[in-house]
């Protein structure tokens, strides 16, 4: 591994050239997936006794395999929650890999963890949580939500009255699927308030009042959403927070997608009440321009997370070195060995400054408003609801579900755009509609115009 030969030097240069080309290209194509059998037929066996050689494997990557991905940072990729990592962050992701830092313990990763924590301080400052609140970077929103739910459950079970109880949480229909999935992992029951619109304190009070005595005993946490993934709706965090206070329930805010908008002055007031949260999920790989994967979980009282997640690192006490003692990211979330995945974000924030982040997030919100205006003006489309954060739901008048899927397919096939339909509750039925989610500040008004024109 350590022998430097010419082949390795060349390979290194090739890889660096590829990375630079990829992040500086202005003519990216939206790739398309292929069936595994098709890919196998194209590339043949690559894992063999002697290996096929780096040069050949890399050529296969460039020629076939890379093209079978759908890079999510294309300016006309407006499906799901797209991404738009900064060049600074991507380049530092390479540095992160090259540095081989074990990011579980300060003892091994002090320099990297220090940088992560500097970035984390800025994120925590956006939430308005009181002094002492702090967080840790995770593999994503799913792991962040799980870490928070487990912390809440373990804290609740410190009370002998609940030691043997199976916990119960309440969230809304608009909550992300990972809340349901992670409740399963934590073996916690879940009740959904039947609304995709903004969950209010009153909705929550009503739901709590409808619980049986047995259910009320098991209820330990509420999950509100700070920007639903489907429509960008922010729950009534002030109202929900108050109910949690009165009812002594853990208040978790899932702002995996919307959290970036805490930096945007134009919408910050919509998040009022988030400062009451016991825990918050924010995904820097969504709206804070970090490469995959980078989520974050923040706690009002990190000590409670430590009680839930610390993996008995007593063997660490053997280190005499003063410098070895510090913040251990493993103590605050589910993972032990971890990449210092907040490091690329730190470098990007240090490079650009937080004002540029503010501007880039505001641009996504502005693009949603611009798209909303264009839709209102165009006779063939109409808004389903007003744009919220950077999400726009709209319908093509007269289209059936299959028309949307056909349109998505055609645009994707041409490499022009990826916009996937979603479902929105219309009365008692779910209607298939079109959806934009803006993240990439390089998306232009012309892009939006061209996309809407392709629906005529
Ligand atoms: C995307 C998302 C998640 C899941 O995050 P991952 O990073 O994909 O694990 C959770 N909650 C919300 C609101 C999201 O938008």
């Amino acid at each position: 591994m350590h022998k430097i030969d010419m082949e390795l030097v060349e390979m290194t240069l090739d890889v660096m050239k590829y990375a630079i080309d990829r992040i500086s290209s202005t003519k990216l194509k939206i790739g398309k997936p292929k069936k595994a059998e098709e890919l196998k037929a194209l590339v043949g066996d690559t894992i063999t006794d002697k290996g096929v050689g780096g040069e050949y494997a890399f050529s296969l990557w460039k020629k076939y395999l890379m093209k079978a991905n759908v890079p999510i940072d294309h300016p006309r990729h407006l499906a799901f929650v797209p991404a738009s990592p900064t060049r600074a962050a991507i380049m530092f992701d390479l540095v992160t890999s090259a540095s081989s830092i074990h990011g579980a313990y300060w003892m091994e990763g002090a320099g990297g963890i220090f940088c992560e924590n500097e970035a984390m301080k800025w994120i925590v400052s956006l939430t308005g949580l009181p002094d002492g609140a702090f967080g840790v970077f995770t593999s994503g929103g799913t792991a962040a939500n799980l870490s928070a739910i487990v912390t809440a459950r373990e804290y609740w079970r410190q009370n002998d009255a609940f030691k043997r109880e199976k916990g119960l949480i309440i969230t809304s229909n608009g909550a992300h699927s990972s809340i349901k999935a992670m409740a399963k992992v934590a073996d916690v029951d879940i009740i959904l308030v039947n609304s995709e619109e903004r969950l209010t304190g009153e909705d929550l009070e009503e739901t709590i009042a409808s619980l049986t005595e047995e259910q009320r005993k098991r209820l330990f946490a509420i999950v509100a959403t700070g920007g639903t993934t489907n429509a960008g709706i922010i729950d009534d965090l002030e109202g929900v927070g108050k109910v949690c206070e009165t009812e002594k329930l853990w208040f978790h805010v899932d702002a995996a997608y919307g959290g970036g908008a805490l930096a945007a002055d134009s919408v910050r007031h919509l998040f009022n009440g988030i400062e009451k949260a016991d825990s918050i999920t924010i995904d820097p790989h969504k709206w804070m321009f970090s490469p995959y994967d980078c989520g974050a979980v923040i706690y009002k009282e990190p000590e409670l997370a430590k009680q839930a997640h610390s993996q008995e690192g007593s063997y660490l006490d053997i280190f005499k070195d003063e410098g070895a003692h510090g913040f251990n990211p493993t103590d605050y979330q589910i993972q032990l060995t971890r990449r210092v995945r907040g490091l690329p974000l730190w470098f990007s924030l240090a490079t650009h400054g937080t004002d540029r982040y503010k501007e880039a997030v505001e641009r996504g919100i502005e693009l949603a408003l611009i798209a909303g205006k264009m839709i209102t003006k165009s006779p063939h489309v109409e808004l389903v609801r007003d744009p919220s954060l950077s999400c726009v739901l709209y319908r093509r008048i007269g289209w059936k579900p299959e028309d949307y899927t056909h349109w998505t397919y055609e645009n994707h096939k041409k490499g022009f755009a990826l916009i996937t339909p979603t479902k929105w509750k219309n009365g008692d039925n779910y209607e298939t509609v079109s959806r934009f989610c803006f993240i990439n500040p390089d998306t232009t008004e012309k892009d939006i115009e061209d996309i809407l024109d392709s629906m005529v």
Side-chain angles (χ1 to χ4, degrees):
M1 279 292 184
H2 290 279
K3 205 180 113 224
I4 304 279
D5 56 30
M6 277 322 287
E7 219 174 299
L8 197 60
V9 172
E10 264 173 44
M11 183 88 290
T12 308
L13 293 176
D14 279 354
V15 168
M16 294 310 290
K17 181 177 178 308
Y18 169 91
I20 293 165
D21 284 352
R22 173 68 183 68
I23 62 176
S24 53
S25 169
T26 52
K27 293 189 295 256
L28 293 179
K29 275 255 169 82
I30 297 186
K32 249 176 80 58
K34 279 189 193 330
K35 277 184 173 293
E37 302 85 68
E38 246 182 289
L39 290 175
K40 185 70 185 180
L42 285 168
V43 308
D45 286 338
T46 48
I47 305 303
T48 64
D49 286 355
K50 308 283 178 231
V52 295
E55 199 184 332
Y56 181 64
F58 197 28
S59 76
L60 293 176
W61 173 256
K62 287 185 279 195
K63 206 164 165 188
Y64 304 115
L65 299 166
M66 177 55 201
K67 291 174 185 163
N69 299 300
V70 187
I72 199 158
D73 55 355
H74 190 285
R76 284 188 302 277
H77 189 315
L78 306 177
F80 322 122
V81 177
S84 178
T86 65
R87 286 171 197 169
I90 294 170
M91 294 317 286
F92 224 70
D93 209 37
L94 301 183
V95 172
T96 304
S97 285
S99 306
S100 286
I101 301 161
H102 190 291
Y105 297 113
W106 186 266
M107 188 270 145
E108 291 165 301
I113 296 165
F114 173 84
C115 296
E116 284 194 313
N117 289 356
E118 291 296 297
M120 183 58 74
K121 279 181 202 161
W122 175 66
I123 299 177
V124 174
S125 77
L126 299 175
T127 66
L129 283 172
D131 284 352
F134 206 60
V136 64
F137 293 99
T138 63
S139 62
T142 304
N145 285 334
L146 177 61
S147 300
I149 289 173
V150 169
T151 299
R153 199 262 320 271
E154 292 304 292
Y155 174 60
W156 173 68
R157 277 194 182 157
Q158 284 179 9
N159 185 332
D160 281 341
F162 308 126
K163 269 230 151 61
R164 287 175 212 292
E165 298 287 343
K166 182 174 186 185
L168 171 72
I169 63 176
I170 296 178
T171 189
S172 80
N173 259 349
H176 189 262
S177 53
S178 64
I179 299 296
K180 285 167 241 173
M182 292 308 103
K184 223 182 278 175
V185 172
D187 194 26
V188 159
D189 286 329
I190 189 162
I191 287 181
L192 299 176
V193 177
N194 189 18
S195 162
E196 267 196 73
E197 288 292 346
R198 189 164 172 265
L199 174 72
T200 64
E202 292 87 69
D203 293 336
L204 182 58
E205 273 173 343
E206 247 173 63
T207 308
I208 294 175
S210 75
L211 298 179
T212 65
E213 201 177 317
E214 184 267 349
Q215 283 175 318
R216 178 60 191 88
K217 184 176 181 200
R218 295 195 291 121
L219 179 66
F220 70 96
I222 307 296
V223 178
T225 309
T228 60
T229 320
N230 203 19
I233 296 166
I234 301 158
D235 289 340
D236 166 23
L237 303 179
E238 191 79 55
V240 172
K242 267 196 198 127
V243 175
C244 290
E245 232 164 40
T246 319
E247 300 279 338
K248 300 207 166 31
L249 298 167
W250 187 278
F251 178 30
H252 178 66
V253 178
D254 181 5
Y257 150 62
L262 290 168
D265 296 337
S266 68
V267 295
R268 178 58 181 81
H269 62 282
L270 301 174
F271 291 89
N272 284 352
I274 197 168
E275 72 285 350
K276 290 185 164 54
D278 292 293
S279 53
I280 303 173
T281 290
I282 297 177
D283 265 358
H285 67 204
K286 279 183 175 157
W287 215 355
M288 285 183 177
F289 315 104
S290 284
Y292 297 132
D293 39 25
C294 184
V297 58
I298 300 164
Y299 303 96
K300 189 197 287 174
E301 293 181 55
E303 187 55 33
L304 301 181
K306 201 171 175 178
Q307 288 164 12
H309 293 290
S310 180
Q311 294 192 23
E312 296 290 322
S314 48
Y315 52 94
L316 284 173
D317 297 338
I318 59 167
F319 293 109
K320 248 182 112 172
D321 183 350
E322 280 284 318
H325 299 283
F327 183 84
N328 296 323
T330 185
D331 288 345
Y332 304 92
Q333 41 80 47
I334 56 171
Q335 198 174 356
L336 182 66
T337 301
R338 66 182 279 282
R339 177 181 183 80
V340 273
R341 49 172 49 88
L343 196 47
L345 174 65
W346 166 77
F347 184 70
S348 184
L349 280 168
T351 301
H352 296 296
T354 55
D355 282 354
R356 289 294 299 281
Y357 271 67
K358 236 182 225 287
E359 288 160 22
V361 173
E362 289 282 13
R363 181 62 183 160
I365 295 164
E366 189 179 30
L367 284 166
L369 295 174
I370 290 168
K373 282 200 187 113
M374 284 183 188
I375 290 164
T376 307
K377 277 197 199 140
S378 313
H380 65 296
V381 285
E382 62 186 9
L383 285 175
V384 170
R385 60 190 312 285
D386 283 340
S388 196
L389 292 182
S390 67
C391 289
V392 185
L393 298 187
Y394 67 101
R395 66 172 67 85
R396 163 66 166 83
I397 297 166
W399 271 13
K400 298 194 182 68
E402 55 271 28
D403 296 319
Y404 289 98
T405 25
H406 181 71
W407 173 73
T408 296
Y409 173 77
E410 286 295 320
N411 277 343
H412 190 187
K413 196 168 74 176
K414 281 181 245 167
F416 163 63
L418 187 68
I419 297 109
T420 48
T422 187
K423 290 203 161 77
W424 187 250
K425 205 169 183 185
N426 187 355
D428 282 339
N429 297 318
Y430 277 90
E431 179 190 355
T432 298
V433 300
S434 190
R435 170 180 172 276
F436 295 147
C437 181
F438 296 99
I439 295 287
N440 191 337
D442 291 337
T443 303
T444 63
E445 297 183 26
K446 173 93 169 46
D447 287 329
I448 306 172
E449 219 174 277
D450 291 347
I451 290 165
L452 291 174
D453 282 349
S454 74
M455 285 184 132
V456 171

